[in-house]
Amino acid sequence: MTAREFKTGFLQLCQNLQDPHLVAKFQQFCGVRGTFPRKSNETVEREAEQLHNGDCTNHCPGEGENVQGDIDGCRKDGTRQRRGTTEGSSLKQDDCVNGLLNGAAALITSTSETEGNSVSSRLDRARDGGDARESHPEGSPENGRETTCHPSELCGSADESARGRVKPLRKNSLTGDGGQEFIIENKFLFYLFTFGTELGNEMFFIVFFPFLMWNVDAYVSRRLIVVWVWVLFLGQSTKDLIRWTRPASPPVVKVEVFYNSEYSMPSTHAMSGTAIPFALFMLTYGRWEYPFIVGLGIALSWSILVCVSRVYMGMHSVLEVIAGFLYSVLILVVIQPLLDPIDSFYLTSPSAPLVIVITHVALGLLAFTLDSWSTSRGDTAQALGTGAGAALASHLNHLLGLAPDPPLSSLPFPLQPLTAALVGRALLRLAVGVAVLLATRAAMKALTIPLVCRAVGVACDDVRRARQHMEVELPYRYIVYGTVGFSCVFLVPLLFSCLNLS
């Protein structure tokens, strides 16, 4: 095989793995069915003109068309391009750009417009969580009479639709849209993959890292937080450089819509879901006594569950998940030898606090810019803020002689038997500590957002919209989650000492 043939074959493989129909087929295999409405052939053809991979596009004139002036979103050669958010653009346009309405945009047809329902009003209804499947006059082509299913759609009878019909658990982070209903025919897989995707969400990390810190091994937890920060930072930054959109819906069913406004290449869920378990395995094997095959099996199962769940949720193509897995492996290979020097510097260097603050803030400010708001910038700042707070607290603990690491002579640690007293004490520490962290987060949010809005001159009557301004979002995320990270490593262990829970 020549190099040219290899390149052609590789590109064809990547194109096949990026195909949204592959995601749709996997969802069907797992018992997920969409409730996309039936459409006429004319509507299907019109949607093909309106949509490209889930994004709304401008109509660009072809050759021979007499057009005066430039058309927004069109290059000189007449091709379409994705439109970024510009100052003064409406939220409706931003929704359209990011393909946020989970199929609702596909329902904007010439029929509805001639009946007085404008594109803007339909987008508003979809954004407010209304039924994306608008009713149509009886006998019209869009009423489901004398129509055929689009080849990529999953159409079923009314009786079939009545069983297991649900909606995404959380609304879209940008629009507040609740997403389109879908049908679950295999509840076990639905709950399994919902659990898998939660292993990459904020609530899991706000429980997992503290549990590891308070009940297992602070040494391991400190290093694991460093890995998590860098993996999420690099993954989110890469997303906003490559700027691939989410898989198109239809044919894909959006079981989750919260992150639908983000770009998708690579999957940062797959990255964190690979980096965290494998880094945990590498940091604990040899430090704790357990069989190698058990640790490797847990890490591999964890990674596979998270990666597959992102395809099931309709958030990523197979290619994006594979890229996320491989990217995180590459990051682990590079960062693993650096963890000891980084941790030692954070603990012992007099200049560590200044370097920690400058580095983490600079990465959030200079890493990337967004053409339209999404959760990626806030999530990146959230991880950087948490990492900075935890690192500062670790430095203070070392300076005050609190929570010292056990001597190397005591290694490896044997696994303690799970007695009722041990489990009960660990759960009590977790419950008390997480309650303090959640209360801290809520209080800091309530205090920080109005103060930052007032300082930068942004109206805060709509908090969700106010947080879309970088000058509000970055200080808010750094202050809130920096405080949470500091509390987790320094303040909560002090509370445990006072309550005799250490």
Side-chain angles (χ1 to χ4, degrees), residues 477-496:
R477 295 278 187 170
Y478 275 112
I479 294 172
V480 171
Y481 289 94
T483 305
V484 170
F486 186 86
S487 299
C488 173
V489 179
F490 181 75
L491 295 179
V492 173
L494 284 182
L495 177 63
F496 290 159

Side-chain angles (χ1 to χ4, degrees), residues 387-467:
L392 291 172
S394 298
H395 180 82
L396 185 58
N397 278 337
H398 181 81
L399 196 63
L400 299 178
L402 302 175
D405 292 329
L408 295 178
S409 58
S410 62
L411 301 180
F413 302 129
L415 294 179
Q416 300 182 27
L418 296 178
T419 63
L422 179 66
V423 173
R425 196 171 184 83
L427 292 178
L428 182 59
R429 275 196 294 264
L430 184 65
V432 172
V434 170
V436 171
L437 295 184
L438 293 177
T440 300
R441 184 183 67 168
M444 291 303 297
K445 280 184 177 181
L447 291 172
T448 304
I449 294 178
L451 289 177
V452 174
C453 288
R454 186 176 302 173
V456 299
V458 173
C460 62
D461 50 338
D462 186 343
V463 173
R464 182 166 60 87
R465 186 179 292 274
R467 284 166 48 184

Side-chain angles (χ1 to χ4, degrees), residues 280-442:
L280 181 63
F281 171 55
M282 290 187 293
L283 289 168
T284 56
Y285 185 71
R287 183 176 174 85
W288 290 81
E289 293 180 346
Y290 62 84
F292 175 86
I293 193 66
V294 172
L296 180 61
I298 292 175
L300 191 59
S301 300
W302 183 337
S303 176
I304 291 174
L305 177 59
V306 176
C307 289
V308 176
S309 73
R310 302 311 288 162
V311 180
Y312 178 91
M313 293 290 167
M315 285 288 96
H316 290 284
S317 68
V318 177
L319 178 63
E320 292 159 359
V321 168
I322 294 175
F325 175 86
L326 296 177
Y327 195 11
S328 64
V329 170
L330 176 61
I331 295 172
L332 278 181
V333 170
V334 174
I335 202 173
Q336 177 67 18
L338 302 176
L339 289 178
D340 281 341
I342 290 173
D343 188 59
S344 178
F345 174 80
Y346 282 174
L347 293 181
T348 62
S349 175
S351 60
L354 182 62
V355 172
I356 289 168
V357 172
I358 291 177
T359 302
H360 286 72
V361 172
L363 289 175
L365 290 173
L366 304 176
F368 57 90
T369 57
L370 298 176
D371 63 343
S372 59
W373 183 88
S374 74
T375 51
S376 61
R377 182 174 60 208
D379 287 347
T380 306
Q382 179 174 310
L384 290 168
T386 303
L392 291 172
S394 298
H395 180 82
L396 185 58
N397 278 337
H398 181 81
L399 196 63
L400 299 178
L402 302 175
D405 292 329
L408 295 178
S409 58
S410 62
L411 301 180
F413 302 129
L415 294 179
Q416 300 182 27
L418 296 178
T419 63
L422 179 66
V423 173
R425 196 171 184 83
L427 292 178
L428 182 59
R429 275 196 294 264
L430 184 65
V432 172
V434 170
V436 171
L437 295 184
L438 293 177
T440 300
R441 184 183 67 168

